[in-house]
């Protein structure tokens, strides 16, 4: 059965789009037919991170308004032919997304794909609400930072009440914690909330911890999802995350401080 | 998972790390947020655990029955209060 997975956070700029791009790419790389949809109307981003910005002809809102078919608007990934991207519209009309329109497009995607990944905008307004409303599962992207954690808790409350599953009494939206921009060295010094701290406060299962990594910027510069960067911790961490999502057991590899040359040479 | 507020350290007035400070503030902030949204009916999941751990710390020093420890989160005139009440047995102090 097809799963709709929302990538959400409340707070802006925590790594939702980075996560949605890598997550969708990882699912496709493992053989699952996947669509990733940008819900950030007015502030399209996913196309750049996926490296397809020059191939956007029609967008999500065009499909909702019947100005293009879904087939015309879906952009096929160059690397993985079982991966498609639906870009957000750049319209400034906040009401461009309607619940009925979104439902119709998602129904069509569900009929064709195994996974539909929804990249939510920040906030808890209309766009964010519609991105999570039809979800079966949610990746709650959080930074180890007070405002991000509190916003994530807020979003968990919404997932439990303001979704189709909640309203129909269809069982809960399955929640996964994705802790990003994690800096083990700062955690070790007591300067940053640890993964255990955040887990304890939010009390949802941990899917993955993505370390703070320069590769994320390099990859977004190039329009390549960081999961395809095999030489970067963040890329490997996303690969582990996808494997866990698909039911594999994988240890969390990047929770400890990287050993510097000194401690490598002298132990410690 | 253990709750990392080190109450003894707090009592002795030792300096918290920045991360501990963040966590302590968050615990309360999240509790308040949930209480506000749920119209006070919902209790954050860690409160019960926090209570149990505090009781176990207290019992290292004084034997108190369960009921002697009252723990509550309240809103009073726009002020959020996390209240901890421990009734010590008479001969203890
Ligand atoms: N693990 C990471 N290490 C370093 N930088 C990161 C990491 N994850 C994300 N970033 C950076 O953080 C910024 C925000 O990331 P991203 O656009 O994915 O967040 P977002 O939650 O989608 O933002 P918005 O709320 O605006 O949609 C980007 O500059 C990105 O490169
Ligand atoms: Mg984004």
């Amino acid at each position: 059965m097809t799963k709709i997975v929302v990538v959400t956070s409340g707070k802006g700029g925590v790594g939702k789009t980075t996560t949605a791009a890598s997550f969708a790419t990882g699912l496709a790389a493992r053989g699952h037919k996947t669509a990733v949809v940008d819900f950030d109307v007015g502030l399209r981003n996913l196309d750049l991170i996926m490296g397809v910005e020059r191939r956007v002809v029609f967008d999500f809102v065009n499909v909702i308004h019947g100005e293009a078919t879904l087939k015309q608007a879906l952009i096929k990934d160059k690397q993985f032919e079982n991966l498609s991207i639906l870009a957000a519209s750049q319209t400034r009309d906040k009401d461009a997304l309607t619940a009925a329109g979104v439902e119709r497009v998602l129904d069509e995607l569900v009929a064709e794909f195994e996974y539909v990944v929804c990249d939510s905008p920040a906030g808890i307004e209309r766009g964010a609400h519609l991105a999570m409303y039809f979800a079966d599962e949610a990746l709650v992207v959080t930074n180890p930072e007070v405002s991000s954690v509190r916003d994530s808790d807020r979003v968990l409350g919404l997932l439990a009440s303001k979704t189709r599953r909640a309203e129909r009494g269809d069982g809960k939206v399955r929640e996964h914690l994705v802790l990003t921009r994690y800096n083990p060295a700062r955690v070790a010094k007591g300067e940053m909330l640890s993964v255990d701290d955040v887990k304890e406060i939010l009390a949802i299962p941990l899917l993955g911890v993505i370390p703070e990594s320069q590769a994320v910027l390099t990859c977004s510069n190039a329009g390549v999802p960081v999961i395809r960067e095999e030489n970067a911790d963040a890329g490997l961490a996303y690969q582990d995350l996808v494997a866990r999502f698909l039911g594999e057991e994988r240890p969390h590899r990047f929770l400890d401080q990287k050993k510097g040359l000194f401690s490598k040479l002298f132990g410690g | 998972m253990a709750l990392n507020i080190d109450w003894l350290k707090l009592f002795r007035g030792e300096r918290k790390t920045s991360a501990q400070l963040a966590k302590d503030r968050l615990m309360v902030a999240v509790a308040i947020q949930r209480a506000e949204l749920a119209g006070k009916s919902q209790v954050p999941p860690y409160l019960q655990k926090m209570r149990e751990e505090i009781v176990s710390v207290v019992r290292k020093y004084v034997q108190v029955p369960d009921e002697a420890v009252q723990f509550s989160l309240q809103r009073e005139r726009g002020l959020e209060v996390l209240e901890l009440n421990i009734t010590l047995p008479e001969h203890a102090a």
Side-chain angles (χ1 to χ4, degrees), chain A residues 78-126:
Chain A
K78 284 255 164 76
Q79 172 95 1
F80 299 106
E81 50 117 29
N82 58 350
L83 174 61
S84 294
I85 298 109
L86 183 57
S89 157
Q90 289 291 48
T91 175
R92 294 172 61 188
D93 175 10
K94 287 218 164 192
D95 300 327
L97 291 184
T98 59
V102 170
E103 181 168 24
R104 192 170 49 75
V105 174
L106 286 179
D107 280 347
E108 238 184 290
L109 287 168
V110 163
E112 193 161 335
F113 293 88
E114 276 177 78
Y115 290 97
V116 179
V117 179
C118 303
D119 180 19
S120 174
I124 52 175
E125 301 302 315
R126 188 185 190 86

Side-chain angles (χ1 to χ4, degrees), chain A residues 145-147 149-157 187 189-194 196-197 199-203, chain B residues 1-5 17-27 29-31 33-34 37 45-46 49 53:
Chain A
E145 188 251 316
V146 286
S147 55
V149 175
R150 184 167 71 177
D151 282 4
S152 290
D153 189 71
R154 184 76 204 277
V155 160
L156 289 172
V187 172
K189 281 193 230 154
E191 293 173 1
M192 183 181 266
L193 288 164
S194 72
D196 286 341
D197 293 338
K199 262 166 70 182
E200 186 178 324
I201 290 162
L202 294 180
Chain B
M1 199 177 321
L3 190 86
N4 285 326
I5 298 180
T17 65
S18 162
Q20 275 166 350
L21 179 63
K23 187 181 177 189
D24 295 353
R25 291 179 56 222
L26 260 175
M27 295 276 225
V30 163
Q33 178 168 266
R34 289 186 192 178
L37 293 174
Y46 61 78
K49 243 171 56 190
E53 287 198 33

Side-chain angles (χ1 to χ4, degrees), chain A residues 21-194:
Chain A
S22 280
F23 181 63
T25 302
L27 290 171
R30 289 171 150 261
H32 299 284
K33 198 171 180 202
T34 302
V36 57
V37 182
D38 191 347
F39 275 74
D40 207 341
V41 169
L43 282 172
R44 159 155 106 205
N45 263 328
L46 184 69
D47 57 333
L48 279 172
I49 302 303
M50 296 294 301
V52 301
E53 72 281 2
R54 288 191 297 173
R55 293 197 283 139
V56 177
V57 182
F58 296 111
D59 60 49
F60 197 178
V61 170
N62 290 142
V63 181
I64 287 178
H65 289 170
E67 293 148 7
T69 63
L70 180 61
K71 208 177 162 148
Q72 288 173 310
L74 282 175
I75 305 165
K76 267 204 173 24
D77 187 73
K78 284 255 164 76
Q79 172 95 1
F80 299 106
E81 50 117 29
N82 58 350
L83 174 61
S84 294
I85 298 109
L86 183 57
S89 157
Q90 289 291 48
T91 175
R92 294 172 61 188
D93 175 10
K94 287 218 164 192
D95 300 327
L97 291 184
T98 59
V102 170
E103 181 168 24
R104 192 170 49 75
V105 174
L106 286 179
D107 280 347
E108 238 184 290
L109 287 168
V110 163
E112 193 161 335
F113 293 88
E114 276 177 78
Y115 290 97
V116 179
V117 179
C118 303
D119 180 19
S120 174
I124 52 175
E125 301 302 315
R126 188 185 190 86
H129 170 68
L130 287 173
M132 74 167 63
Y133 186 76
F134 300 97
D136 301 302
E137 308 205 16
L139 307 193
V140 179
V141 180
T142 308
N143 291 167
E145 188 251 316
V146 286
S147 55
S148 173
V149 175
R150 184 167 71 177
D151 282 4
S152 290
D153 189 71
R154 184 76 204 277
V155 160
L156 289 172
L158 296 174
L159 285 167
S161 60
K162 299 278 188 293
T163 51
R164 181 166 67 176
R165 277 180 171 272
E167 285 175 7
R168 288 185 179 168
D170 242 358
K172 274 189 81 172
V173 175
R174 192 163 165 222
E175 301 150 340
H176 307 270
L177 174 61
V178 177
L179 192 59
T180 60
R181 312 202 67 162
Y182 196 68
N183 186 332
R186 299 198 73 182
V187 172
K189 281 193 230 154
E191 293 173 1
M192 183 181 266
L193 288 164
S194 72

Side-chain angles (χ1 to χ4, degrees), chain B residues 8-74:
Chain B
L8 285 181
K9 257 193 189 168
L10 283 184
F11 290 146
R12 284 193 220 118
E14 282 174 31
R15 265 176 75 91
K16 285 187 263 188
T17 65
S18 162
Q20 275 166 350
L21 179 63
K23 187 181 177 189
D24 295 353
R25 291 179 56 222
L26 260 175
M27 295 276 225
V28 177
V30 163
I32 289 165
Q33 178 168 266
R34 289 186 192 178
E36 271 175 2
L37 293 174
K40 259 177 90 172
S41 62
Q42 213 183 353
V43 179
Y46 61 78
L47 263 190
Q48 182 54 25
K49 243 171 56 190
M50 182 143 102
R51 186 181 179 283
E52 282 162 18
E53 287 198 33
I54 289 170
V55 172
S56 78
V57 170
V58 170
R59 283 196 182 137
K60 281 190 192 167
Y61 302 89
V62 202
Q63 280 315 308
V64 291
D66 262 3
E67 335 55 272
V69 183
Q70 302 290 333
F71 200 88
S72 72
L73 182 72
Q74 291 171 2

